[in-house]
Amino acid sequence: MVPGMLSNLTTNFVGRLRSRDPAAWFELWETFGPILRAQLAKWGGGRVGPETVQDLSQETLAALSTSIDRHDPNKGARFSTWLLAIAKHTLSGEMDRRMALKRGAGKKPVELDETWMGKDGGSSPGRAYEDAVFRAKVEAALRQVERDTDFMDFTVYRMRVLDGVPGKDVAIQLGISEPTVSRRLSKIREQLRAAVSDTIEKYSFTREELEEASRKGLDPNPKKASDALFDEALADIYHAQTECKREEPVD
Amino acid sequence: MTGSLLAFPFVILVWIAAIVSGIWLLVKLLAGIGWVFSRVFRGVGAFFTHVGTFLRDEVTDVFRVLGSALTALVFAPLITLSVAVGRWSAAQHYGNAMEREMIGLARGMYRLVLGNPARLLGLTHLTDGIEQRIPEAIARAPGPDKPGRATGTFEGYTVTGSLPGGGSGARIWLADASPEKVEQLSGAGFVAPRAVVIKSFALGDGSTLPQIVRESRALEAARKLGLVLEHELTGSRFHYVMPYVPGVDLGVETRRLHDTSGDRGLDDKSLAKALDHSTSLLAILHRFHSHGLWHKDVKPSNVIVGDAGVQLVDLGLLTPLASAMTLTTHGTEYFRDPELVRLAMRGVKVNEVDGAKFDVYSAGALLFSMLENSFPAHGSLSQITKKCPDALRFIVRRAMADIEHRYASAAEMLADLSFVRDARHAHKVKLAQLPSVAGTPKSADWIADLERQLSADMDLVAAELHAGAAGAAAGAAAGAGDDAGRRFLFKYEAGMGSKGNGNSYHAPPYKKSRSRGFLSVLGVLSVMIVGSAVALAALFTAGGPSHPVHDLASSHHDVGSLSAFPTSAPHTPPRLDDAVIRARTPGLLSADGDSRNASTAVIPVGNPPAPVPVATSTTNPLLGKAPVPAGHGRRVLVINDLSATGASVVGQKVETILQLLRGAGFAVLDEQNGGVGEDELVHLMASARSALGLYEPHDVDAGLLLRAWLAAESVTATEAAADAARDAGGAALVTEIAAPVDVVLWFGKSGGKVQYPYRVESLDERLMADLDKLVRHVNTQL
């Protein structure tokens, strides 16, 4: 496989987007909408209000829907760059509209800059933005596991890992034994590893993006020794994500 | 000798070290000087750039101001001329254009005089956004305090003020009922307060038929809850009257609780209050659900906390749980389950899901917001960071969990919550003790007791309203500065494609009401309601008052696309009451169109006419074997915004598509050829246009809006079929019966980079895909 080439899963997801599958678009919106909003708010520098940011982030997805047909996966652009380029285009359009006021009637609208499709083209997104995109992918995986697993099993994992409650206290709270807590933790962790791997793959266009999970402590290959590291990394990402959304702008 | 031999290399080394150190110091010194110079030059450069930007902005704004002023001047004679020759619509059009220019001029002046200089002086944050915020605040201000001629008067009521109309297209009036009216309502069994709210839809005020039809759908449900005092439909206006409910909304109450508790979280006293509010809300939701109703918009601003307890208001989205309607995405982000959106996008019907569970999700989100003094930005993964009993954390998570794992009912959640509330120490409650975990669900007796208690609470509220609301409401109406008035705010409804708290989909004509204007600062609430389609029909049956005929097209200046209709096309302007009835009955086919024979001529929607031969090829060799699906008389509504004419390539493509569809047996409804009565076509076009607002085909939301509109059309058809079948003898109502629209084909404006924007939407996924394929095929072949 050529480095940077799309995996089947990603191709399928892009395929769903191309076929205008509403569920796929909603998924994209649910996962990355908040990041787009934060990025647009940051770029707007206070000149665009929250309402406009909301509208613009929706417009960004609308622009994506027209751009997706021309997307060439072999050019090696990152998924995050793809989102960012379109968001920038949308904001530029908004600024053009504002500056031109009514006299923009005969003005040629801003062209969609698609140089981002090239590996070296387009803007270089900031580190904080890249981190936010990665966290959003992990959150999507968490959400997926929460949906697909037994509520009490996930509750055990959530209390123990995400809330940091000692195993003994979790057992007392839920009226179960500590070994049961451990078993449920393992079960959910296994599913989380798979879900993180799938989600990263789904929203990645390049090899570098695919390897991001391993680099950040979310190794998809289970090793007994790495369980604690995996939980710790996941909890860190989760907390950073909840903090980030509370404060809105990415950086 | 030996000493001097050893000293020599040492001296050499010292010299080398001294030279190296000297060079190193020199380099560092030069680097430091370079750094200082670079900073200075950079600073100077930034300064000149900053000043240059200021000058550029100033010059640009001068030209903008001049441009706006000149353009406004051009409109002035056009307005005068239009008035002189009696072209009122044109005069209004030019007046609107001039208003926009004047706003542009004012904004330009603001930037010229204040905005740009402030930016130059680094005071950006002082002035940024003012040019948006002020016009927005002005736009949100309530309308006139007295209804104008277009609205008319309300017999038995004295209007004392108005409130912002929100997104439903209504005017909302505060009024006092006359003593005679109070007596009359009391005689009808209502505990009638003197202060009321009147929600009015008048075509003369710009309300549209779809808004009225939508508003009327939940009336029957609202009546079950006894919240509508009376309603009336005339030829040009529909209005209904509700009691005015005093209190503050839960958002205000939550802030108050946290203000008294501190930053760490609710103290025991505030926590107890929060639990009381939450359990009361769940009890109310349980009552709604047991009456077969789904509130659908539970959020802090819709929960009113008053002396008489908690009230759930705003019934604008109230939906029967057994409704055959397709789910819509209405609601407010963060308080609406994302799963609802997914299901709505799949076209799932209301009766195919347990709508009560979506209310449970909202109740969980509401509890989260009370505990955290924030909104659940991460849905079910949102983290409660403030001090809170573990049991409550668990209850919130379970309420907001995936629909399969969620509490099965409001009663089940209520049982858990009551357990925590009634515990001696809420913080010591173990999750395993909660009834839902311990497997000890509350008994039917407990639920029955709860319902009795709730019923008693409702009576208490009614009595409170009767006794004390009048003066307070009058205070609210009298003036914004009045302290009594600060406690009251009427809560208004959202429309289709609405936007809640700026977080969900919207189309301009249906922009969701936010807590707007200075009245929103005042605190509070109210009750909402709705008008009943059944009641409308009943009114119509009774003959309905004969009011002047209203021109539908001219009443919709905001639906600019209506101008696409050929102005010369003769059509009889429909009356409001006629149109409402037709809007409810598009799902019926009449064999002969004779309303008196409708009882035998009515054919349910699902009974398609005889198949029509399928067109699979055309005479145009370029088209090849065009993939045209069989029409079976299905109706295609064509919305055409193309500026290109039929002579252009794009125009030809559209014509070809329509010809192919007609040939395949589709009934093509466009402005050229309705195929049905002109009135119905006007209604359908206006309704669809109104639903779409200013969206364009490529907007993602446009698809959602179209689907919602199609679903609404479809449901009215189904309801009308049931009504007509029931009232076999009374089918004289059905004067003009038509089928619902099966698919919408929307061609956007041509020009620009994208020459051929279009959208196909249908509730029938297969049909939608087939037509999409056809359009693509024609596009590539011609």
Side-chain angles (χ1 to χ4, degrees):
Chain A
M1 191 165 130
V2 179
M5 210 170 159
L6 287 174
S7 65
N8 281 340
L9 194 61
T10 308
T11 310
N12 287 342
F13 187 69
V14 171
R16 284 171 62 204
L17 294 177
R18 279 189 175 144
S19 65
R20 307 290 187 269
D21 176 355
W25 282 101
F26 180 71
E27 199 177 320
L28 199 65
W29 165 250
E30 190 184 32
T31 308
F32 299 104
I35 296 173
L36 289 177
R37 281 205 288 268
Q39 195 62 39
L40 287 163
K42 183 187 155 201
W43 281 336
R47 277 167 292 175
V48 288
E51 293 290 325
T52 312
V53 165
Q54 179 81 14
D55 294 344
L56 286 178
S57 51
Q58 290 188 29
E59 277 182 35
T60 298
L61 287 196
L64 274 177
S65 72
T66 57
S67 167
I68 191 86
D69 291 335
R70 297 188 295 278
H71 171 61
D72 182 352
N74 294 316
K75 290 191 177 174
R78 290 171 65 89
F79 175 83
S80 52
T81 316
W82 181 55
L83 280 180
L84 194 72
I86 307 278
K88 193 169 269 185
H89 162 72
T90 311
L91 186 69
S92 309
E94 167 68 13
M95 288 307 178
D96 275 4
R97 277 196 294 277
R98 284 190 185 190
M99 302 307 278
L101 293 178
K102 287 299 288 176
R103 265 151 312 291
K107 189 180 174 224
K108 193 178 176 190
V110 62
E111 292 286 332
L112 174 57
D113 175 12
E114 289 187 336
T115 52
W116 54 271
M117 277 192 191
K119 200 167 188 174
D120 301 321
S123 54
S124 170
R127 178 86 193 157
Y129 168 77
E130 292 290 359
D131 286 347
V133 170
F134 178 73
R135 286 197 303 267
K137 294 174 189 176
V138 175
E139 188 185 352
L142 259 174
R143 204 177 295 285
Q144 169 82 36
V145 172
E146 190 210 11
R147 255 202 302 268
D148 295 345
T149 54
D150 177 76
F151 177 73
M152 292 310 284
D153 287 354
F154 191 79
T155 298
V156 168
Y157 190 86
R158 189 170 182 167
M159 288 177 75
R160 178 71 191 90
V161 176
L162 304 184
D163 294 347
V165 179
K168 189 179 170 188
D169 291 348
V170 173
I172 292 170
Q173 277 284 353
L174 291 170
I176 54 178
S177 67
E178 283 191 67
T180 306
V181 170
S182 297
R183 270 200 306 278
R184 290 183 175 189
L185 279 176
S186 300
K187 186 177 161 189
I188 296 296
R189 189 182 299 114
E190 194 181 318
Q191 297 196 36
L192 270 170
R193 281 189 199 276
V196 167
S197 181
D198 284 355
T199 314
I200 298 286
E201 208 173 345
K202 185 192 286 187
Y203 299 123
S204 298
F205 287 171
T206 66
R207 172 70 61 199
E208 188 199 357
E209 284 176 297
L210 285 172
E211 290 165 354
E212 204 168 2
S214 299
R215 284 202 308 274
K216 295 190 172 169
L218 298 177
D219 196 339
N221 302 314
K223 285 181 223 152
K224 187 74 185 169
S226 67
D227 283 353
L229 289 175
F230 180 88
D231 288 348
E232 195 181 330
L234 194 81
D236 284 348
I237 291 166
Y238 169 74
H239 290 133
Q241 176 70 347
T242 48
E243 278 304 311
C244 181
K245 267 197 193 167
R246 196 172 295 136
E247 290 161 9
E248 277 297 29
V250 175
D251 63 5
Chain B
M1 183 68 190
T2 308
S4 62
L5 278 175
L6 285 174
F8 182 71
F10 179 73
V11 171
I12 294 294
L13 279 175
V14 168
W15 270 103
I16 290 171
I19 290 166
V20 169
S21 301
I23 292 171
W24 182 80
L25 278 173
L26 190 65
V27 168
K28 283 290 172 191
L29 186 65
L30 288 174
I33 292 168
W35 183 84
V36 169
F37 271 101
S38 76
R39 291 288 154 175
V40 169
F41 282 124
R42 200 177 290 178
V44 171
F47 174 76
F48 280 110
T49 306
H50 192 59
V51 172
T53 306
F54 165 73
L55 292 174
R56 188 198 64 196
D57 289 348
E58 286 289 275
V59 171
T60 313
D61 283 330
V62 165
F63 282 111
R64 282 194 187 123
V65 166
L66 284 175
S68 288
L70 288 173
T71 315
L73 281 177
V74 170
F75 287 127
L78 289 175
I79 295 169
T80 313
L81 192 65
S82 299
V83 171
V85 297
R87 290 182 60 197
W88 301 106
S89 299
Q92 187 171 354
H93 168 77
Y94 292 130
N96 290 339
M98 189 171 180
E99 183 186 343
R100 285 194 294 271
E101 293 301 329
M102 296 307 287
I103 290 171
L105 189 146
R107 282 185 172 159
M109 287 296 289
Y110 157 77
R111 284 195 299 270
L112 202 60
V113 176
L114 196 61
N116 295 338
R119 282 189 194 104
L120 177 70
L121 299 174
L123 302 174
T124 307
H125 295 297
L126 186 70
T127 56
D128 256 351
I130 285 182
E131 65 264 52
Q132 268 82 44
R133 294 202 303 267
I134 292 176
E136 274 176 20
I138 292 171
R140 289 172 192 168
D145 283 344
K146 296 285 176 192
R149 260 195 317 185
T151 308
T153 56
F154 303 97
E155 197 182 337
Y157 300 95
T158 307
V159 174
T160 55
S162 72
L163 290 166
S168 66
R171 291 282 174 95
I172 299 172
W173 307 100
L174 288 166
D176 284 343
S178 64
E180 296 77 26
K181 180 60 79 177
V182 171
E183 195 175 330
Q184 181 194 336
L185 291 171
S186 300
F190 289 103
V191 181
R194 215 177 141 213
V196 297
V197 169
I198 299 173
K199 192 166 186 179
S200 156
F201 295 83
L203 293 181
D205 284 336
S207 295
T208 63
L209 287 176
Q211 289 166 343
I212 295 171
V213 172
R214 190 169 49 253
E215 193 77 8
S216 70
R217 280 189 186 136
L219 177 64
E220 203 51 38
R223 279 174 148 190
K224 285 185 182 178
L225 298 167
L227 294 168
V228 176
L229 298 176
E230 62 176 6
H231 53 77
E232 187 188 28
L233 173 73
T234 69
S236 61
R237 190 184 74 189
F238 167 61
H239 80 268
Y240 54 88
V241 182
M242 302 155 282
Y244 191 73
V245 180
V248 296
D249 77 47
L250 195 61
V252 174
E253 171 73 357
T254 298
R255 283 192 291 279
R256 193 183 285 170
L257 292 176
H258 279 269
D259 285 346
T260 55
S261 301
D263 290 339
R264 292 189 56 215
L266 296 176
D267 58 26
D268 288 349
K269 197 175 165 191
S270 297
L271 183 67
K273 274 190 183 174
L275 285 173
D276 277 345
H277 298 333
S278 199
T279 46
S280 299
L281 171 72
L282 280 162
I284 293 169
L285 283 177
H286 172 69
R287 181 167 180 257
F288 272 62
H289 300 161
S290 54
H291 278 78
L293 300 171
W294 167 20
H295 185 277
K296 217 180 171 208
D297 201 13
V298 178
K299 57 180 175 179
S301 57
N302 282 345
V303 176
I304 306 308
V305 182
D307 295 339
V310 168
Q311 285 295 295
L312 182 58
V313 298
D314 192 346
L315 308 178
L317 299 181
L318 199 67
T319 306
L321 289 164
S323 168
M325 267 178 84
T326 305
L327 282 171
T328 64
T329 56
H330 294 150
T332 304
E333 197 178 354
Y334 301 127
F335 294 94
R336 173 194 58 193
D337 183 4
E339 184 64 18
L340 171 65
V341 181
R342 279 191 206 94
L343 293 170
M345 286 174 139
R346 278 167 31 202
V348 173
K349 307 277 186 216
V350 172
N351 58 14
E352 291 169 353
V353 297
D354 185 356
K357 281 193 169 186
F358 295 119
D359 274 349
V360 170
Y361 178 96
S362 305
L366 215 73
L367 181 56
F368 175 96
S369 73
M370 273 194 284
L371 296 169
E372 188 70 3
N373 197 20
S374 178
F375 55 90
H378 297 261
S380 55
L381 288 177
S382 300
Q383 200 183 15
I384 298 176
T385 56
K386 294 192 187 294
K387 189 180 71 173
C388 156
D390 287 337
L392 285 184
R393 218 174 242 124
F394 175 87
I395 290 171
V396 168
R397 288 169 180 175
R398 182 141 205 182
M400 295 178 73
D402 180 68
I403 196 161
E404 297 298 322
H405 305 140
R406 195 172 300 163
Y407 285 113
S409 65
E412 194 185 8
M413 181 177 171
L414 178 57
D416 276 4
L417 208 56
S418 301
F419 187 88
V420 179
R421 184 193 61 179
D422 299 340
R424 196 176 176 84
H425 298 292
H427 286 274
K428 290 185 179 173
V429 173
K430 301 276 182 293
L431 309 190
Q433 293 174 297
L434 294 173
S436 70
V437 181
T440 53
K442 293 287 184 182
S443 66
D445 289 345
W446 183 84
I447 302 283
D449 281 347
L450 174 75
E451 283 173 355
R452 273 194 294 277
Q453 176 63 42
L454 182 63
S455 181
D457 287 349
M458 297 287 279
D459 290 345
L460 178 63
V461 170
E464 287 271 338
L465 284 172
H466 188 53
D482 185 324
D483 280 342
R486 285 176 197 277
R487 300 179 55 230
F488 305 93
L489 170 70
F490 187 82
K491 182 69 194 70
Y492 40 91
E493 298 181 10
M496 188 180 203
S498 63
K499 181 171 202 164
N501 292 337
N503 294 321
S504 60
Y505 311 104
H506 85 283
Y510 288 101
K511 201 150 187 168
K512 170 89 171 187
S513 55
R514 285 165 259 154
S515 293
R516 298 182 162 179
F518 58 87
L519 273 173
S520 64
V521 182
L522 307 183
V524 187
L525 69 100
S526 101
V527 163
M528 265 344 303
I529 312 325
V530 202
S532 148
V534 174
L536 293 175
L539 281 168
F540 182 73
T541 323
S546 292
H547 283 261
V549 168
H550 201 284
D551 186 331
L552 182 65
S554 67
S555 71
H556 292 348
H557 295 299
D558 55 329
V559 187
S561 310
L562 272 177
S563 60
F565 285 105
T567 49
S568 58
H571 70 272
T572 309
R575 284 163 43 83
L576 170 57
D577 32 15
D578 287 347
V580 169
I581 296 307
R582 272 197 299 281
R584 282 179 40 73
T585 57
L588 303 176
L589 294 170
S590 170
D592 56 8
D594 183 348
S595 60
R596 279 157 298 196
N597 296 329
S599 60
T600 54
V602 168
I603 305 165
V605 183
N607 206 354
V612 182
V614 180
T616 53
S617 65
T618 71
T619 53
N620 188 334
L622 283 174
L623 283 173
K625 209 173 172 76
V628 192
H632 294 310
R634 287 183 289 192
R635 307 200 326 159
V636 184
L637 182 68
V638 180
I639 304 176
N640 192 345
D641 295 332
L642 285 168
S643 50
T645 63
S648 68
V649 174
V650 177
Q652 281 175 8
K653 285 178 180 177
V654 172
E655 255 322 297
T656 305
I657 292 164
L658 300 189
Q659 277 176 19
L660 286 171
L661 290 174
R662 285 192 191 100
F666 283 94
V668 177
L669 313 179
D670 63 356
E671 56 244 41
Q672 306 300 324
N673 175 19
V676 289
E678 288 290 340
D679 287 355
E680 191 206 13
L681 181 59
V682 169
H683 163 71
L684 284 174
M685 283 286 184
S687 174
R689 292 285 191 189
S690 185
L692 286 168
L694 301 178
Y695 275 76
E696 292 183 6
H698 64 265
D699 290 327
V700 175
D701 286 346
L704 294 174
L705 293 173
L706 264 183
R707 274 170 176 258
W709 179 79
L710 282 166
E713 284 293 318
S714 170
V715 168
T716 50
T718 311
E719 287 173 354
D723 289 349
R726 229 181 359 254
D727 309 331
L733 285 175
V734 189
T735 55
E736 190 177 317
I737 306 170
V741 171
D742 296 289
V743 60
V744 176
L745 193 49
W746 182 12
F747 298 101
K749 288 178 190 145
S750 60
K753 199 171 178 183
V754 182
Q755 287 291 330
Y756 195 49
Y758 73 92
R759 180 175 281 279
V760 182
E761 276 305 336
S762 172
L763 300 180
D764 180 341
E765 299 287 342
R766 176 74 187 272
L767 179 62
M768 188 165 80
D770 287 348
L771 257 61
D772 188 57
K773 198 186 289 180
L774 171 67
V775 176
R776 281 171 185 264
H777 178 82
V778 172
N779 189 31
T780 52
Q781 296 298 317
L782 273 186

